[in-house]
């Protein structure tokens, strides 16, 4: 998933919680990162959400943060969430009883839990003033975040004080109360508040209700799993074979047994609500160092922190294990929480559990704010939920959004086309408020009674929704006339009948400004006996395969306004899987690596990997890149095994050069067998095979490999339209500009200071990116070194240099343009850095009115175009590229001529 939050802060209603300016954050504990985007919104009085992206020296970070005023005038409360077995945070929040006159406004995952066993939390939990479960192992105090009756919060330790009074008055300690794992010694109690799925395996157990034994212990034949007790019933259990088990076995129905249990804090009053955690991140204002500890790896994180007085709560999630966000170590997370203002902070469960939900003004359901690393949200046993007063339900305003999303591409529209809007009413406390508004628009378009905005002419527009005194507004931008369209997917391949895939259409005007084109503005041509193509209700289309095997194409046409020709595109379609050969290994002798050799294949020549001992690794790299079809679902590989259990793998690099490894099964057979290795859905195509490898099994072994293939839907090639940008001009036009420079080969002196005669009248020649930043005749030239990969510090260095150059160009009255010069570096500059570079240059152009261009040296072929008004020129290593310049001329400020 490629994420770039808006680069400019989103303007929101005045917040009762005013966040402090966010200082620089870093993944490794120092402050060397830069914030690249931020947005925010008010969730309810006293609760605000801040979301931001950061570029660190070695990773991208995506952070979501709830800032909460506890016990203030907003009436916000933090409560225990869940308690009835694992469920997603959204499912638990939807059924949480907020109480009369209150509503749920946000939620986050909670404690670590017995993920491979009972599913119960490992720490303590309190809800509505009641002990729900104790920590494991035993009654000792464990870390938690707690909230008092006054609403204030703190990090504390909670232990168990429990007892069991047996017939005759003997009192025994209670060693666990709804604990995920029963203690090896003593008595454990389980009630209807059990927060897991099924109870853990228990030894001897009796049921107690109203102070009397209702069911005696059955004969013990080893540990048994039991169902959750009915409300009002307590199940007492003890591990088989101990003294406690013998005492339980002696009980009979009707015997008097009393069970008592309460939470005991290490200090201070018992909280009303509490959720367990694990590592202390900040203690008394000091961030903690977890270096060397097992959990101190970069991962998705959830953390909770408090101000010194406990009145300011900070709930934070950091996405991880993703291209867009690499996660944080515990040490870095503690440093971050401390810099953000936490005096005390605790680490909650992270990884695939990290989930943050927050409300939208007027919405009844919560929205998922972060990106869980597993993809879909993981079921978890508990969490924290924030509730607030419900409000009057009388409409105080409207939240207007484009149907499909709030990204910039949805707040733009082309002349003659539409943008469907929705208006959600909210009351004074931002809660739901029913009532349809009256729509009207100002500026470059009009809106009908259903909220459908139709653009009339290029310019600015504002859509309004009003009902009596309640009002909402959404700024819209009408771009220039539509000139071309591009589907989000160049080809659509489906594996089987009934499978679905979605796509959106993006349109562009003459300056390369982009906007989503809605289905109602699109005409479709396709074989309706083989495919179904429908409006998905979110600004895009859904394609469904109606047959098991077919190829075809979908033609999409957008009818433009005023008799202009509009735009069209073709999307190849395919359903069913075929195996496409990638490497037959006939050249096995040219594959190189540890333990690799030529061997008989299946058939012909193959590749052998020798594995001299258990766990040994062998690998072989191809003599040339092996590309994988972009729509491939899985790889196939013939494996000749000797029964040793060695495991084959295919190693790949994705579009950004990131490593992707797919592993086959343990080869416990003898002879040849074809194995299938599914490609992960998160892998970013195009993929390239970098190595075949294997890991030894239970002992020495040898794997023979042959015929690597890809299972791929059978679509035809995508049609790539050839667009000639007006910046490409003839020699006379280029030389008519006030001055010129050349790129690549030429006779210039290369000084870059404007003093040389250059190539055939050019002021200078750009041959590399090693020259310092300079200004020449109204243009600031910035050379960016692309030798270092984005996530090895290069991106951080380049973005800092770009920001400084943009600031300098903006304040210089005699500078009319900025030209960024970089070397062609596929796989070094990742897609997110490239997108951010484009967004920064486009923002500079919009806010200053000055010009911008991106010049790429050493490209494989010549290309020129524009995006959001930013010109781009890719100059090959050979030939001559001459650029004519007038930094202050109306229209295009560059004219480019390439001669091979």
């Amino acid at each position: 998933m490629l994420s770039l939050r808006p680069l400019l802060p989103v303007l929101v209603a005045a917040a009762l919680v005013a966040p402090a300016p966010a200082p620089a954050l870093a993944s490794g504990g120092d402050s060397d990162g830069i914030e690249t985007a931020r947005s925010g919104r008010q969730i309810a009085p006293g609760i605000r959400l801040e979301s931001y992206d950061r570029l660190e020296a070695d990773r991208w970070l995506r952070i979501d943060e709830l800032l909460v005023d506890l016990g203030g005038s907003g009436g916000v409360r933090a409560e225990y969430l869940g308690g009835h077995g694992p469920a997603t945070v959204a499912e638990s929040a939807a059924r949480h009883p907020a109480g009369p006159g209150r509503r749920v406004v946000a939620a986050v995952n909670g404690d670590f839990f017995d993920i491979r066993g009972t599913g119960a939390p490992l720490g303590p939990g309190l809800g509505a003033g009641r002990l729900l479960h104790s920590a494991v192992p035993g009654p000792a105090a464990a870390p938690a975040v707690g909230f008092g009756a006054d609403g204030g919060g703190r990090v504390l330790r909670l232990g168990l004080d429990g007892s069991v009074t047996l017939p005759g008055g003997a009192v025994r300690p209670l060693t666990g109360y709804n604990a995920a794992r029963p203690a090896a010694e003593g008595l454990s109690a389980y009630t209807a508040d059990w927060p897991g799925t099924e109870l853990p395996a228990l030894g001897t157990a009796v049921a107690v209700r109203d102070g009397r034994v209702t069911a005696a212990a059955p004969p013990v034949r080893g540990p048994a799993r039991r169902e959750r007790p009915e409300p009002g019933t307590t199940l007492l259990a003890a591990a088989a074979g101990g003294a406690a088990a013998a005492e339980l076995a002696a009980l009979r129905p009707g015997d008097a047994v009393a069970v008592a249990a309460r939470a005991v804090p290490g200090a201070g009053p018992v909280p009303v609500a509490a959720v367990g955690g694990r590592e202390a991140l900040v203690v008394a204002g000091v961030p903690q160092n977890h270096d060397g500890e097992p959990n101190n790896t970069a991962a998705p994180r959830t953390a909770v922190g408090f101000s010194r007085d406990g009145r300011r709560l900070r709930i934070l999630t950091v996405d991880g294990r993703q291209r867009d966000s690499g996660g944080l170590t515990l040490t870095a997370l503690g440093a971050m929480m401390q810099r953000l203002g936490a005096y005390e902070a605790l680490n909650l469960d992270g990884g695939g559990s990290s989930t943050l939900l927050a409300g939208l003004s007027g919405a009844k359901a919560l929205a998922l704010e972060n990106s869980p690393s597993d993809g879909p949200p993981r079921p978890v046993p508990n969490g924290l939920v924030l509730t607030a007063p419900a409000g009057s339900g009388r409409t105080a305003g409207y939240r207007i959004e484009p149907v499909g999303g709030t990204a910039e591409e949805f707040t733009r529209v082309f002349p003659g086309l539409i943008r469907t809007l929705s208006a959600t009413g909210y009351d004074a406390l931002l809660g739901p408020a029913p009532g349809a508004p009256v729509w009207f628009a100002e500026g470059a378009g009009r809106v009908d009674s259903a909220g459908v905005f139709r653009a009339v002419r290029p310019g600015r527009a504002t859509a309004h929704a009003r009902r009596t005194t309640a009002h909402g507004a959404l700024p819209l931008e009408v771009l220039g006339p539509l000139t071309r369209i591009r589907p989000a997917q160049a080809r659509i391949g489906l594996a089987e009948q009934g499978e679905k895939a979605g796509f959106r259409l993006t349109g562009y005007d003459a300056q390369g400004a982009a906007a989503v084109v809605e289905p109602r503005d699109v005409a479709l041509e396709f074989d309706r006996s083989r495919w179904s193509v429908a409006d998905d209700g979110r600004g895009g289309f859904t394609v469904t395969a109606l047959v098991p095997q077919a190829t075809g194409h979908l033609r999409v046409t957008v009818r433009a306004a005023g008799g202009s020709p509009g735009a069209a595109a073709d999307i190849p379609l395919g359903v069913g899987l075929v195996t496409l050969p990638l490497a037959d290994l006939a050249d096995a002798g040219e594959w190189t690596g540890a333990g690799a050799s030529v061997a008989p294949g299946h058939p012909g020549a193959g590749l052998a990997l020798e594995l001299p001992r258990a766990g040994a690794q062998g690998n072989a790299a191809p003599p040339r890149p092996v590309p994988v079809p972009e729509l491939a679902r899985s790889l196939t590989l013939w494996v000749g095994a000797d029964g040793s259990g060695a495991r084959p793998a295919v190693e790949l690099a994705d579009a950004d050069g990131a490593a992707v490894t797919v592993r086959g099964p343990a080869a416990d057979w003898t002879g040849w067998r074809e194995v299938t290795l599914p490609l992960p859905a998160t892998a970013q195509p195009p993929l390239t095979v970098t190595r075949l490898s294997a890991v030894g099994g239970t002992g020495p072994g040898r794997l023979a490999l042959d015929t690597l293939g890809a299972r791929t839907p059978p679509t035809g090639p995508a049609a790539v339209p050839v667009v000639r940008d007006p910046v490409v001009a003839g020699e006379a036009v280029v030389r008519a500009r006030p001055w010129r420079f050349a790129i690549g080969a030429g006779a210039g002196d290369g000084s870059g200071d404007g003093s040389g005669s250059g190539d055939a009248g050019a002021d200078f020649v750009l041959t590399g990116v090693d020259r310092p930043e300079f200004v020449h005749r109204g243009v600031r030239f910035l050379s960016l070194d692309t030798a270092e990969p984005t996530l090895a510090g290069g991106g951080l260095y380049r973005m800092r240099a770009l920001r400084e150059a943009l600031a300098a160009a903006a304040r210089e009255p005699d500078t009319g343009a900025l030209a960024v010069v970089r070397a062609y570096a596929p796989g070094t500059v990742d897609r997110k850095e490239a997108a951010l570079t484009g967004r920064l240059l486009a923002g500079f152009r919009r806010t200053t009115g000055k010009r911008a261009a991106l010049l790429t040296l050493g490209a494989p072929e010549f290309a020129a175009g524009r995006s959001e008004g930013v010109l781009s020129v890719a100059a090959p290593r050979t030939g001559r590229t001459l650029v004519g310049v007038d930094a202050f001329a109306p229209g295009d400020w560059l004219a480019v001529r390439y001669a091979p």
Side-chain angles (χ1 to χ4, degrees):
M1 174 186 300
L2 179 64
S3 169
L4 271 177
R5 304 185 199 263
L7 294 177
L8 298 177
V10 174
L11 297 179
V12 295
L16 294 183
V17 176
L25 311 176
S27 58
D30 53 9
S31 300
D32 63 348
I34 58 173
E35 188 173 301
T36 62
R38 178 177 285 265
S39 61
R41 71 174 188 266
Q42 197 73 13
I43 305 303
I47 308 177
R48 181 174 175 78
L49 174 71
E50 289 288 321
S51 301
Y52 43 99
D53 292 357
R54 292 186 57 80
L55 174 59
E56 307 292 341
D58 59 349
R59 73 197 67 196
W60 292 92
L61 288 178
R62 197 168 51 231
I63 302 164
D64 293 282
E65 181 183 5
L66 283 172
L67 308 170
V68 187
D69 182 5
L70 294 172
S73 60
V76 180
R77 296 178 193 163
E79 303 170 8
Y80 183 98
L81 176 66
H84 301 286
T88 66
V89 176
E91 291 167 343
S92 295
R95 61 177 179 240
H96 180 76
R102 299 187 66 79
R103 64 188 181 96
V104 170
V105 294
V108 71
N109 70 288
D111 199 359
F112 292 79
F113 62 100
D114 186 15
I115 191 169
R116 293 180 178 84
T118 63
L122 300 177
L126 282 80
R130 291 190 304 112
L131 174 64
L132 300 177
H133 51 86
S134 64
V136 293
V145 290
F147 302 87
D150 64 350
R154 71 189 198 272
V155 176
L156 74 164
R157 297 186 70 84
L158 284 173
L160 170 66
D161 179 16
S163 64
V164 178
T165 304
L166 299 172
V171 179
R172 302 289 183 257
L174 192 65
T175 57
Y177 186 81
N178 285 326
R181 305 181 191 117
E185 301 290 338
L187 296 170
S188 298
Y190 292 90
T191 73
D193 287 328
W194 165 247
T197 48
E198 59 183 5
L199 293 177
L202 305 174
T204 303
V206 300
V208 177
R209 190 179 182 90
D210 297 329
R212 299 285 178 179
V213 175
T214 60
V220 176
R221 293 188 179 90
R225 292 188 181 274
R226 293 172 170 83
E227 295 182 358
R228 181 195 309 270
E230 295 291 329
T233 296
T234 299
L235 191 68
L236 281 176
E247 288 184 310
L248 288 185
L251 296 175
R252 295 294 178 264
D255 286 349
V257 174
V259 181
R262 67 186 183 94
V264 180
V270 179
V272 173
V275 168
R278 186 178 290 175
E279 295 89 356
L281 300 173
V282 182
V283 177
V286 179
Q288 302 298 291
N289 187 342
H290 293 274
D291 291 351
E293 297 178 11
N295 195 28
N296 194 39
T297 58
R301 298 292 181 185
T302 300
V304 174
F306 299 95
S307 60
R308 187 166 189 167
D309 63 2
R311 295 297 180 182
R312 300 291 284 256
L313 166 66
R314 192 179 300 273
I315 299 173
L316 182 140
T317 58
V318 182
D319 291 341
R321 300 173 186 161
Q322 302 171 48
R323 178 187 317 278
D324 288 356
S325 190
L328 286 176
T329 65
L330 290 173
T331 300
L333 183 63
M336 175 185 292
M337 293 297 288
Q338 188 268 345
R339 284 195 299 271
L340 291 172
Y343 186 74
E344 304 280 349
L346 185 68
N347 180 50
L348 302 187
D349 191 15
S353 299
S354 286
T355 308
L356 181 67
L357 305 176
L360 293 161
S361 301
K364 295 181 180 180
L366 304 183
L368 178 63
E369 298 299 335
N370 74 318
S371 296
S373 62
D374 291 350
R378 172 188 289 175
V380 295
N382 67 2
L384 283 173
V385 62
L386 301 179
T387 67
S392 65
R394 294 189 295 272
T395 308
Y398 285 96
R399 172 172 53 87
I400 304 179
E401 291 182 328
V403 173
T406 57
E408 185 178 47
E409 289 79 7
F410 282 95
T411 60
R412 295 167 156 188
V413 62
F414 295 101
L417 304 188
I418 66 168
R419 182 66 67 224
T420 304
L421 308 176
S422 68
T424 304
Y426 58 85
D427 63 21
L429 299 184
L430 305 183
V438 174
W439 289 91
F440 65 97
E442 297 175 315
R446 57 182 183 272
V447 63
D448 65 18
S449 60
V452 177
F453 174 85
R454 183 169 295 278
V456 175
R457 62 184 183 278
R460 299 287 177 176
T462 303
H464 298 268
R466 186 183 297 280
R467 185 183 184 199
T468 62
T469 59
H471 174 253
L474 178 70
L476 298 166
E477 181 182 4
V478 181
L479 303 177
L482 178 70
T483 60
R484 60 187 175 95
I485 57 175
R486 181 179 61 84
Q489 286 76 32
R491 297 179 295 157
I492 295 177
L494 304 171
E496 58 188 4
Q497 182 178 356
E499 185 173 313
K500 303 176 184 292
F503 74 93
R504 284 175 175 162
L505 279 180
T506 302
Y508 300 87
D509 68 8
Q511 288 298 319
V516 170
V517 178
E518 290 195 22
R520 283 190 285 179
D521 284 325
V522 179
L524 305 174
E525 299 176 51
F526 60 96
D527 186 340
R528 298 177 187 272
S529 69
R530 297 182 172 189
W531 321 94
S532 167
V533 184
D535 185 338
D536 66 5
R538 301 183 302 276
F541 299 85
T542 299
V543 178
T544 306
L546 302 180
V547 294
Q549 194 85 25
T551 59
H553 73 276
L554 168 65
R555 184 165 182 80
V556 293
T557 304
V558 179
R559 297 178 293 269
S564 59
D570 285 299
I571 307 173
L573 304 176
V575 58
L577 294 176
V578 297
T579 300
L580 301 179
L582 301 184
D584 60 10
L585 293 181
D587 59 351
E590 300 179 51
W591 290 61
T592 56
S597 62
V598 178
H602 182 80
L607 178 71
L609 295 178
E610 301 291 340
L611 306 166
R613 61 187 180 282
Q617 296 185 357
N619 62 77
R624 61 196 63 84
V626 178
V628 176
E630 192 164 334
L631 297 181
R633 300 295 185 90
S634 61
L635 301 179
T636 60
L637 181 67
W638 279 93
V639 178
D642 59 2
S644 66
R647 193 175 183 186
V650 180
E651 301 177 29
L652 310 104
D654 72 1
D656 291 332
V660 177
T661 301
V662 291
R663 304 185 188 280
D668 53 5
W669 63 87
T670 58
W672 286 95
R673 182 179 297 180
E674 188 178 40
V675 300
T676 299
L677 303 89
L679 292 168
T682 55
Q684 178 63 40
L687 302 174
T688 303
V689 176
T690 57
R691 292 198 307 183
L692 300 180
S693 62
V695 176
T698 57
R702 180 177 185 271
L703 281 187
L705 308 176
D706 198 5
T707 314
L708 178 67
R711 296 283 287 166
T712 308
T715 68
V720 180
V722 178
V723 179
R724 180 182 174 88
D725 193 276
V727 75
V728 180
E731 186 89 8
V733 174
V734 172
R735 294 192 178 280
R737 295 298 177 105
W739 66 278
R740 290 157 300 286
F741 67 91
I743 303 175
D749 61 8
S751 66
D753 61 4
S755 60
S757 60
D759 176 10
D763 286 21
F764 55 84
V765 179
L766 293 176
T767 57
V769 295
D770 54 350
R771 65 182 61 194
E773 187 175 352
F774 66 97
V775 178
H776 183 76
R777 299 182 69 172
V779 181
R780 176 171 286 273
F781 284 84
L782 171 68
S783 294
L784 292 182
D785 182 1
T786 54
E788 288 292 329
T790 299
L791 300 185
L796 186 60
Y797 164 80
R798 289 188 288 268
M799 289 304 100
R800 281 180 172 159
L802 177 56
R803 285 182 164 189
E804 292 170 2
L806 290 170
R811 63 175 176 261
E812 293 166 347
D814 294 333
T815 297
L818 173 71
V820 175
V821 184
R822 66 182 185 185
Y824 179 70
T828 302
V829 177
D830 72 15
R831 294 173 303 110
K832 196 168 181 179
E833 182 190 340
L836 178 58
T837 299
R839 293 287 295 270
L840 289 173
L841 291 173
F844 166 79
R845 179 179 175 271
R846 286 194 302 268
T847 57
T848 66
K850 298 184 179 185
R851 320 300 181 79
L854 184 62
L855 310 177
T856 302
L857 281 59
E861 59 184 18
F862 174 79
R866 67 190 72 205
S867 175
E868 303 293 335
V870 177
L871 302 177
S872 62
V873 178
R877 298 181 182 89
T878 59
R880 186 192 66 160
T881 303
L882 187 64
V883 183
V885 186
D886 186 345
F888 302 98
D892 287 340
W893 64 286
L894 297 182
V896 183
R897 171 68 173 170
Y898 171 68

